[in-house]
Amino acid sequence: MAEEEKQWIIREDPPRAGAEMGGLPPILLKLLGQRGVEGGEAVEKFLKPRLRDLSDPYLLPDMEKAVERVLAAIDAGENILVYGDYDVDGVTSVALMCNVLRAYGVAHDYFIPKRGEEGYGLSDTAIDNLLEDKGKPDLIITVDCGTASIDEIERINSLGIDLIVVDHHEMSVRGKPECIAVVNPKLGDDFHYLCAAGVVFKLAHALLKRRMVEGFDLKEYIDMVAVATVADIVPLVEENRLLVRHGLRLLPETKHAGLLALQQVTGMNGNVSSMDVGFRIGPRLNAAGRMDKPEDALALMLEADLKEARKLAEALDLYNRERQLHEKQIRDEALAMVAERPNAQDEPVIVLGSRSWHPGVVGIVASRLMRQFYKPTFIVSVDEEGIGKGSGRSVEGISLVEAIQACPDDLIAGGGHDMAAGLSILESKIDEFRENFSKYVLENTTKAQRAPKLHIDAEIGFDELSLEFMDSYDLLQPFGSQNPQPVFMSRNVWLTEAPRHLKNKHIKLFLRQGFVEHDAIFFGGGERSLPDPPWDVAFTIDRNTFRGRTTLQMVIQDVRSAEQQSE
């Protein structure tokens, strides 16, 4: 099944935003307007967010109840257990909550379930293991899970254990769980963009507003929140943007040995972007959970000694390499399965399963196949009992949650978000689910809607690309969900020499537009059949520092023949 050609869509020019602000290039004003940032004050707040603009944490639902119960536990000398999740957001949430409790001098412990054995969130197996390993706590605080765990929380209540949920996931159709407090922005009208670590940060802020702790500075944990926010791919808007902007600035000189060790192990050079978090720090923290070693990621985030942290970071780096091997194996086998399906080209979805696939890696492979073929994709790992656990990734305009709800007879369970979801399914039902999933997509979308698209933010000339332009451009950062890195295009571009093939099927291009030349990197471009120049090129831009010299680097997203007209 060949990769389908993308349709280039050039965004319309918005009303010029912030035009009264001097010193900003017109193209930057256009990018701000596309993001709905209008007027001088809004532009100033977007480009230069300030920590003093953080809102009152007591605006979140049930915050008052949560603070009262935690402070009561502190005063009574009770035992508190923090229960989290095995991904980056879950691990950092547990670490932050534990650091806050330690600052208050309260006895506390933590528990993170193993993905393969205990699954996500509160489960009966995890609760049994928790009670056996940790004993019975007086209070459990769940972070990054618990909102939809109605039955499990009822069981915890029956054991005489109080529970507070600190989460950001969607509510169960059965409603709000019965517990002391559910601090979840989804129960209110605002802050829906926060990740779990962001909600924990708000809880910590609320506790400190009620009772300060001498020597504890919550601002020192903003870098931890920033890592979780970027890694969890939540919208980088409003307070998320503020927290990430300031957190990224803290990271190079972080006071947390674990985050410093991760930067050392990954060879980061002192300037941290959201891309560094997304592609270097986040994958290594996630790899521990994927390899069923989440306790190592948490140990790293809690470690105070840099030497010990370095050992743990190197272990996580090895887990990441192991994860990459599993990923390659699954991807190669999945591509072979796609190639063997006679009607794969015409099917609007990809649904594949195997007993040889590691359950911790299927989500990554689903994401890669979705991007390669621009089709909603589920990749399923099947255990020895014939029970499959799958992870799905979708494309613009197709909700996986709605698709799962449309196929209830095919699945044991399923849920998540529109663009990323999980499911449980009998091995014998995989083919039937593929058929019904395809039917749902065909009935609810048009062929044009299913065609791959590349959204171009602005056209720019090679003569405008410079380090001086990057200084203004960098004010748009951090990039991520709902503030994506801008995609530019340039027309009538020629090669000055033949493409240079690099490892992993990447290529380096030497490009010229008029009399101006720029080098570019095209990740995966070695697998593409490129048209004859001249080209229109779509690209993002970054700073590239090599041997002490910093240059502007173009990162190619797509290439097409120059004579092809834009929409």
Side-chain angles (χ1 to χ4, degrees):
M1 184 164 62
E3 186 173 348
E4 194 171 345
E5 188 173 307
K6 294 184 178 69
Q7 176 188 3
W8 290 24
I9 300 175
I10 302 175
R11 299 186 192 277
E12 295 182 1
D13 287 354
R16 182 161 293 181
E20 66 274 17
M21 292 191 65
L24 294 180
I27 196 168
L28 188 66
L29 299 176
K30 174 179 178 176
L31 295 172
L32 287 167
Q34 290 172 349
R35 286 153 175 75
V37 182
E38 301 178 359
E41 184 178 349
V43 170
E44 180 75 18
K45 191 172 181 180
F46 184 89
L47 297 180
K48 300 176 181 179
R50 299 168 298 186
L51 286 174
R52 68 187 185 190
D53 291 330
L54 285 171
S55 59
D56 185 352
Y58 285 94
L59 294 174
L60 267 74
D62 280 4
M63 184 64 82
E64 184 74 38
K65 296 177 182 177
V67 169
E68 288 181 0
R69 182 62 184 89
V70 172
L71 291 178
I74 292 170
D75 292 338
E78 294 179 342
N79 292 312
I80 302 176
L81 184 134
V82 183
Y83 185 109
D85 185 27
Y86 41 69
D87 69 358
V88 178
D89 193 20
V91 167
T92 51
S93 295
V94 172
L96 175 55
M97 194 71 243
C98 286
N99 275 289
V100 172
L101 295 174
R102 182 168 57 197
Y104 279 103
V106 64
H108 66 279
D109 207 337
Y110 49 79
F111 184 90
I112 296 183
K114 294 184 184 295
R115 179 191 294 257
E117 176 186 341
E118 295 156 324
Y120 164 77
L122 288 168
S123 67
D124 285 332
T125 302
I127 293 170
D128 290 341
N129 292 339
L130 181 160
L131 295 172
E132 182 178 346
D133 296 344
K134 307 291 185 178
K136 180 182 174 182
D138 299 298
L139 172 65
I140 293 176
I141 302 175
T142 70
V143 294
D144 200 25
C145 61
T147 298
S149 303
I150 307 295
D151 294 333
E152 293 79 6
I153 289 176
E154 285 183 2
R155 179 187 173 191
I156 290 170
N157 290 337
S158 71
L159 296 171
I161 302 170
D162 282 349
L163 188 138
I164 295 171
V165 171
V166 184
D167 195 12
H168 71 128
H169 289 98
E170 299 291 342
M171 209 60 62
S172 165
V173 294
R174 296 168 59 188
K176 181 181 176 182
E178 293 291 333
C179 56
I180 298 295
V182 181
V183 184
N184 185 331
K186 298 291 171 57
L187 283 173
D189 298 325
D190 202 359
F191 309 107
H192 288 193
Y193 48 78
L194 289 172
C195 68
V199 183
V200 173
F201 182 86
K202 288 287 191 181
L203 173 57
H205 188 192
L207 285 164
L208 292 166
K209 287 189 72 169
R210 186 66 54 84
R211 184 183 298 180
M212 292 293 294
V213 177
E214 185 176 352
F216 184 84
D217 188 354
L218 185 59
K219 291 194 295 291
E220 294 178 357
Y221 292 85
I222 291 177
D223 51 7
M224 198 176 286
V225 178
V227 167
T229 302
V230 172
D232 216 48
I233 321 179
V234 290
L236 292 189
V237 298
E238 301 184 40
E239 293 193 16
N240 275 355
R241 175 175 171 78
L242 190 159
L243 292 167
V244 173
R245 181 73 168 267
H246 287 271
L248 293 179
R249 290 177 177 174
L250 285 178
L251 270 172
E253 298 179 354
T254 180
K255 295 191 176 182
H256 307 295
L259 290 177
L260 188 59
L262 278 173
Q263 292 175 76
Q264 293 176 352
V265 166
T266 57
M268 292 168 61
N269 59 15
N271 293 313
V272 183
S273 69
S274 54
M275 296 283 284
D276 291 316
V277 173
F279 290 95
R280 298 190 185 194
I281 295 176
R284 285 161 177 81
L285 287 169
N286 263 331
R290 295 185 188 281
M291 297 296 109
D292 273 349
K293 296 289 185 179
E295 64 275 10
D296 288 353
L298 180 57
L300 175 67
M301 297 303 290
L302 292 171
E303 182 57 59
D305 181 77
L306 183 57
K307 186 176 180 180
E308 292 301 315
R310 181 66 185 249
K311 294 178 183 177
L312 287 165
E314 289 170 349
L316 263 60
D317 190 52
L318 289 176
Y319 293 148
N320 193 50
R321 295 181 190 181
E322 183 181 353
R323 184 271 303 171
Q324 289 171 332
L325 292 175
H326 282 293
E327 178 191 333
K328 184 179 185 305
Q329 172 231 331
I330 297 174
R331 183 170 182 263
D332 288 347
E333 292 179 9
L335 287 172
M337 293 167 72
V338 168
E340 290 170 1
R341 291 189 58 78
N343 299 316
Q345 188 73 40
D346 300 323
E347 290 177 331
V349 304
I350 296 174
V351 178
L352 302 169
S354 172
R355 294 198 176 200
S356 67
W357 293 349
H358 194 292
V361 187
V362 291
I364 300 175
V365 177
S367 180
R368 293 194 183 280
L369 293 186
M370 177 275 293
R371 289 197 299 269
Q372 180 174 348
F373 298 112
Y374 201 78
K375 295 183 178 185
T377 300
F378 276 99
I379 301 297
V380 183
S381 169
V382 183
D383 65 19
E384 295 178 355
E385 281 74 44
I387 304 296
K389 291 184 178 180
S391 189
R393 300 292 184 270
S394 195
V395 300
E396 180 183 336
I398 299 176
S399 166
L400 293 184
V401 173
E402 292 178 6
I404 286 171
Q405 293 170 349
C407 306
D409 297 335
D410 301 334
L411 306 175
I412 299 171
H417 306 285
D418 289 341
M419 304 302 286
L423 56 77
S424 298
I425 186 171
L426 292 173
E427 184 178 26
S428 59
K429 287 279 192 176
I430 290 177
D431 289 340
E432 188 174 339
F433 172 62
R434 182 192 302 110
E435 182 178 337
N436 289 327
F437 186 19
S438 294
K439 182 179 178 181
Y440 167 83
V441 171
L442 290 172
E443 290 178 349
N444 288 276
T445 61
T446 65
K447 186 175 181 179
Q449 289 173 324
R450 296 192 299 273
K453 302 171 183 64
L454 177 64
H455 293 282
I456 309 291
D457 293 277
E459 185 173 343
I460 193 170
F462 273 24
D463 58 345
E464 299 177 76
L465 299 173
S466 66
L467 289 178
E468 289 74 24
F469 175 73
M470 286 293 299
D471 290 338
S472 298
Y473 170 85
D474 283 342
L475 293 174
L476 294 173
Q477 299 212 48
F479 298 128
S481 174
Q482 294 193 25
N483 184 37
Q485 187 171 15
V487 178
F488 300 104
M489 74 166 289
S490 294
R491 301 180 188 272
N492 293 308
V493 174
W494 295 83
L495 284 170
T496 60
E497 59 180 270
R500 183 181 303 169
H501 287 257
L502 309 175
K503 62 180 180 179
N504 297 325
K505 300 180 180 178
H506 310 321
I507 56 176
K508 185 171 184 179
L509 299 173
F510 305 89
L511 305 175
R512 174 179 61 81
Q513 185 190 52
F515 297 103
V516 183
E517 297 181 4
H518 284 291
D519 295 347
I521 187 78
F522 192 176
F523 294 112
E527 297 179 302
R528 291 278 303 273
S529 178
L530 300 177
D532 293 332
W535 296 336
D536 293 339
V537 293
F539 57 93
T540 58
I541 56 174
D542 289 305
R543 293 179 187 268
N544 181 44
T545 300
F546 182 68
R547 294 179 179 174
R549 179 171 175 263
T550 299
T551 58
L552 181 147
Q553 177 172 271
M554 297 169 57
V555 181
I556 301 295
Q557 304 300 308
D558 199 13
V559 170
R560 70 181 187 186
S561 296
E563 57 269 20
Q564 182 177 338
Q565 297 300 307
S566 61
E567 292 292 325

